[in-house]
Amino acid sequence: MSNLEIRVERPDHPGVAGLLSDLDAYLAGLYAPEDNHILDVQALRAPDVTLLAAWLDGEPVGCGAVRRMPAEAATDGAPYAEIKRMFVVPHARGRGLAGRVLGRLESIVAAEGFTRSLLETGRDQSAALRVYERFGYMRRGPFGGYPDNGLSLFYEKRLAA
């Protein structure tokens, strides 16, 4: 791959804001607003969230975030890391960027002692489902207060401690 850099960025960085806007538009084309469970820019700025952006030859081409979550009954009383806001622009897909961002997010929280990575995604996002499954995520039940609405799919991966 050309010059790829994956780094922590602020969600209000102009390049990242463009990625998030593109992701929001994509999701709005698939689901009704009440069925999109996104973190807005303000929520992404919280101290318990890390957002990564992928830059290819200086162009922002992908992003992903991880939010540290407290223990809850749906996670057997264990805290967990939640993957959020994963996106790669269409012209950069098929190069393994999503997997690289996802792997970096997992490494960050595993180094902090988290042993579970969970996510909620939409059933109509077939490319995302393939990425998550290829990287070891397994289907599970709802968590984090997400509704079991038939549109959301829930995944979990155990991280090496």
Side-chain angles (χ1 to χ4, degrees), residues 83-147:
I83 302 297
K84 299 292 290 179
R85 305 299 266 160
M86 290 289 300
F87 182 69
V88 174
V89 296
H91 72 271
R93 293 181 184 156
R95 301 179 189 195
L97 294 172
R100 291 179 74 171
V101 170
L102 183 60
R104 183 78 59 84
L105 291 169
E106 291 171 356
S107 293
I108 289 168
V109 292
E112 296 172 5
F114 285 87
T115 59
R116 295 173 182 228
S117 177
L118 278 64
L119 62 92
E120 176 274 339
T121 191
R123 69 167 192 216
D124 298 331
Q125 294 166 254
S126 56
L129 299 175
R130 285 191 303 273
V131 168
Y132 298 135
E133 290 171 1
R134 186 173 352 154
F135 284 87
Y137 284 78
M138 307 292 289
R139 291 280 304 271
R140 59 154 293 140
F143 66 93
Y146 290 109

Side-chain angles (χ1 to χ4, degrees), residues 1 3 32 39 41:
M1 197 168 309
N3 185 18
L39 295 181
V41 170

